[in-house]
Amino acid sequence: MSVLVYTENWDGKFKKLSYELVSYASALAEMLGTTVTSVTIGETDDNVLKELGRYGAEKAINVTGDSLKTLDNQAYAKVISDIALKEGSKVIILANNNSGKALAPRISVRLKAGIGSGVSKLPLNLDPFTVYKRTYSGNAFAHLVIKSEIRILTLAQNSFEVAEKPENIVLEKVQSGIDGSLVSTVVSETQKQSGQVILTDAEIVVSGGRGMKSPENWPPLVELAGLLGAATACSRPVSDEGWRPHEEHTGQTGKIIAPNLYIAVGISGATQHLAGVSSSKYIVAINSDKDAPIFEAAQYGIVGDAMKVLPKLVEAVKNMKK
Amino acid sequence: MKILVCISNVPDTTTKIRFAEGNRAIDTTGIQWVINPWDELSLTRALELRDDPSNGIKSVTVAHVGNADSEPTIRKALAIGADDAVRVNAGSSDAYFVALQLAEVIRKEQFDIIMCGIESSDFNGSAVGGMIAESLGIGSVSAVSGLSISNNQPVMTREIDGGREVVAMTAPMVAIVQKGIAKEPRIAAMRGIMMARTKQIRVYEPVPAEPLTEVQVFEKPAPRAACRFIEPDNPAQLIDLLQNEAKVI
């Protein structure tokens, strides 16, 4: 009957996102009068698994097997579905990130369980089970009723505060019985970013738009990001022009992010751009056009030329750190 | 090999969303409908692959679940260059319903590579592609930002959080596609628009399927407080506000 939460194994560790998920699951379990079980796939140390207990998981299941070394959507979805059935879980929670989006729909079909994707708060109602869901790329929200007996929720990143609980967790190790023939993904190469803040994980993001005028003007923006421990991002025209790599493109068709602070430099704030950043807790806009729509989304604004404002901002952050 | 591109029609992404029917639906008055942006990029990449004979792609079909009203969107896909199209004659009530309809089309007509956009810009569900694959019991690769054919097999780049992988999978399979798959959407030329008029749209009636979810009501996002402006010569004030008022740095 427990709430099942998929805590993704990231090279044997968890990201903060997993603790957000467990905290959310724990709050939901309280509403439902039940407990939280986590499932992690792939080798994970006991000490790492026990960390989940600090956020309210009462059981951490670790499934391992030779055929589960890399993400295969079909095999992973079967593992999670089987555990949900064994645990009698009525709610399954995943992150609304790449792997959560890959697995949730497959689990949905296996268990005939409706999905509420990209939820940002606890259910509005338990009967009927109603969630608050982002739609129209952030221009509207829906109260979505999930009619099935089992429900799947994918939680938007950085939308739920981690909350510590008294620790009381048991670990369960499971050797997967997944047949290798179910695994069809053949990974030939893996590249991981190193030494820089990953955009989708970042709590602060500094982003540049066409108002930056040319790719040579990026150093002060990158310096500001470095000083703030922030990731760098950009608007679509900037990535289309090849000024910055397309991984940095935030917006409707690029990455959708929800940092605590989003600093938009020389970005006018087209609807499509705002669709990717409107869930940020705070938006700061720096733009030379005082009528730019970005100022309608921002809490703090500076009207001015990015090239003149950025160096002063860098100085101000350096002074703050002294 | 045959490619199927699943397309959804969505309000143009600059549309100001208004509601109707007691906020249970959106007001479609004056809305310009377009191919969902990720589906349009999928179609573009599918056509690029077909147009290079060394890939051995025989045809690119588009499939859509929707009423007759959505035919202009299908015609647009045909004008861009799809060879033919399938429409399942039903409103798209939820992702599960739509996925079961598309899975049935694939069972009937048999495709090797099925491409779906990673989400639709209206419902933002990110569900249909994975649901199709699970319904058919075939593999899926998600967050695909590159697709090519090597030795008759699809080879993809998939984005992982903070990196990327090169992945191969034997067809039939579902590729769930995101930005990067094609540089820019292909635009219909006059010749394509003329040819599209005579291309075939096969219409199927829906198979029974019970939606698992239902929108009760829509609402607008909470309005943000008005922007507080800081003098450009005084960025220290901004830093102070971020540190002591917003408490985010």
Side-chain angles (χ1 to χ4, degrees):
Chain A
M1 165 64 204
S2 63
V3 172
L4 185 68
V5 51
Y6 173 59
T7 44
E8 189 175 355
N9 179 339
W10 194 253
D11 295 333
K13 295 199 178 68
F14 294 121
K15 290 188 181 186
K16 176 168 166 263
L17 178 62
S18 292
Y19 305 137
E20 289 172 15
L21 289 171
V22 175
S23 301
Y24 180 89
S26 173
L28 179 56
E30 212 161 285
M31 285 172 76
L32 295 165
T34 181
T35 58
V36 176
T37 300
S38 68
V39 52
T40 304
I41 301 174
E43 300 288 341
T44 317
D45 275 354
D46 287 2
N47 288 335
V48 174
L49 290 168
K50 276 189 189 144
E51 280 287 295
L52 300 173
R54 282 174 49 198
Y55 305 95
E58 295 193 19
K59 190 199 260 188
I61 302 176
N62 186 200
V63 185
T64 53
D66 286 343
S67 51
L68 299 174
K69 295 238 188 280
T70 53
L71 173 64
D72 179 273
N73 296 339
Q74 204 169 1
Y76 276 41
K78 183 173 187 326
V79 167
I80 298 167
S81 303
D82 288 351
I83 286 182
L85 289 175
K86 200 177 111 218
E87 295 285 313
S89 308
K90 293 292 177 269
V91 183
I92 305 168
I93 295 165
L94 300 95
N96 192 39
N97 64 358
N98 285 337
S99 49
K101 288 177 190 174
L103 298 172
R106 300 200 69 126
I107 299 168
S108 164
V109 170
R110 289 196 85 93
L111 303 178
K112 233 183 157 194
I115 305 180
S117 55
V119 300
S120 53
K121 47 169 115 163
L122 287 166
L124 302 170
N125 199 349
L126 292 178
D127 187 21
F129 197 92
T130 313
V131 296
Y132 186 75
K133 180 198 175 322
R134 178 180 178 274
T135 57
Y136 292 94
S137 303
N139 290 310
F141 285 80
H143 295 199
L144 184 78
V145 176
I146 307 179
K147 300 191 279 190
S148 50
E149 197 196 336
I150 303 176
R151 294 96 180 194
I152 300 171
L153 306 182
T154 67
L155 181 69
Q157 202 149 344
N158 206 19
S159 62
F160 202 80
E161 296 287 329
V162 295
E164 298 212 9
K165 290 274 171 79
E167 197 179 312
N168 175 27
I169 189 167
V170 292
L171 306 185
E172 188 178 312
K173 301 274 181 182
V174 178
Q175 186 63 35
S176 145
I178 290 282
D179 176 0
S181 68
L182 194 67
V183 176
S184 56
T185 310
V186 182
V187 177
S188 60
E189 195 186 317
T190 302
Q191 298 167 3
K192 285 188 182 169
Q193 277 181 24
S194 56
Q196 46 182 312
V197 184
I198 294 168
L199 180 52
T200 45
D201 293 344
E203 298 195 349
I204 304 177
V205 173
V206 184
S207 186
R210 225 183 328 217
M212 293 290 292
K213 296 195 182 78
S214 108
E216 292 79 50
N217 291 334
W218 246 262
L221 188 151
V222 174
E223 188 181 4
L224 179 64
L227 288 166
L228 293 171
T232 51
C234 69
S235 68
R236 175 168 175 173
V238 165
S239 72
D240 282 356
E241 290 289 334
W243 293 0
R244 301 292 295 175
H246 86 80
E247 293 87 356
E248 284 200 0
H249 166 203
T250 47
Q252 184 167 51
T253 52
K255 290 205 166 69
I256 294 176
I257 56 170
N260 291 333
L261 174 61
Y262 182 73
I263 303 178
V265 186
I267 292 176
S268 65
T271 319
Q272 293 92 332
H273 185 75
L274 294 178
V277 302
S278 61
S279 300
S280 306
K281 295 215 170 80
Y282 284 89
I283 296 178
V284 170
I286 300 166
N287 202 297
S288 55
D289 174 9
K290 70 173 173 38
D291 296 321
I294 189 76
F295 289 119
E296 286 167 35
Q299 285 86 351
Y300 303 111
I302 295 180
V303 179
D305 182 344
M307 293 307 50
K308 293 194 181 121
V309 176
L310 267 178
K312 288 184 198 160
L313 210 48
V314 167
E315 277 314 304
V317 176
K318 282 184 181 160
N319 288 334
M320 169 193 93
K321 295 199 149 194
K322 271 179 197 162
Chain B
M1 285 208 282
K2 286 166 69 187
I3 299 182
L4 180 73
V5 181
C6 302
I7 60 170
S8 167
N9 72 328
V10 296
D12 174 43
T13 51
T14 57
T15 307
K16 281 256 181 258
I17 299 298
R18 290 187 310 266
F19 307 123
E21 296 170 36
N23 295 346
R24 293 176 70 89
I26 66 154
D27 180 359
T28 54
T29 318
I31 284 187
Q32 186 86 24
W33 295 91
V34 298
I35 305 174
N36 178 43
W38 294 272
D39 303 346
E40 198 178 22
L41 288 170
S42 295
L43 175 61
T44 300
R45 184 59 189 151
L47 298 174
E48 287 168 2
L49 291 171
R50 181 201 63 189
D51 294 347
D52 178 350
S54 70
N55 290 317
I57 305 292
K58 282 209 303 255
S59 62
V60 173
T61 302
V62 292
H64 172 70
V65 178
N67 297 317
D69 302 354
S70 54
E71 287 221 354
T73 303
I74 301 175
R75 288 281 168 211
K76 189 180 169 201
L78 293 170
I80 293 169
D83 296 292
D84 56 5
V86 172
R87 179 171 69 82
V88 179
N89 189 31
S92 54
S93 40
D94 85 335
Y96 183 75
F97 177 87
V98 169
L100 293 195
Q101 304 308 324
L102 292 168
E104 186 61 23
V105 168
I106 296 157
R107 266 188 217 106
K108 274 193 193 122
E109 299 206 351
Q110 299 291 320
F111 297 92
D112 302 284
I113 302 174
I114 297 115
M115 297 174 78
C116 293
I118 195 158
E119 63 173 324
S120 64
S121 61
D122 53 1
F123 198 66
N124 307 122
S126 298
V128 171
M131 286 177 168
I132 292 173
E134 191 64 42
S135 302
L136 296 169
I138 61 176
S140 61
V141 179
S142 191
V144 171
S145 63
L147 168 64
S148 54
I149 309 292
S150 171
N151 301 322
N152 256 329
Q153 197 182 38
V155 177
M156 288 149 284
T157 305
R158 82 167 159 194
E159 305 287 319
I160 52 176
D161 294 296
R164 55 174 52 154
E165 290 179 330
V166 179
V167 168
M169 188 175 278
T170 307
M173 58 84 54
V174 179
I176 300 157
V177 164
Q178 66 158 59
K179 203 210 168 195
I181 189 77
K183 201 159 171 9
E184 269 177 51
R186 195 180 277 199
I187 293 170
M190 186 47 79
R191 190 177 124 82
I193 295 168
M194 300 301 282
M195 281 170 66
R197 291 183 185 165
T198 57
K199 285 180 184 170
Q200 195 195 15
I201 302 178
R202 295 181 290 283
V203 179
Y204 294 132
E205 288 308 312
V207 291
E210 195 64 39
L212 300 175
T213 59
E214 185 178 44
V215 173
Q216 199 176 48
V217 69
F218 285 106
E219 64 181 49
K220 283 276 178 195
R224 283 184 180 256
C227 183
R228 178 160 170 188
F229 286 95
I230 292 129
E231 287 304 314
D233 294 329
N234 194 9
Q237 192 197 347
L238 174 65
I239 299 304
D240 180 56
L241 288 167
L242 292 176
Q243 204 173 13
N244 300 314
E245 187 178 87
K247 298 188 168 56
V248 285
I249 60 172

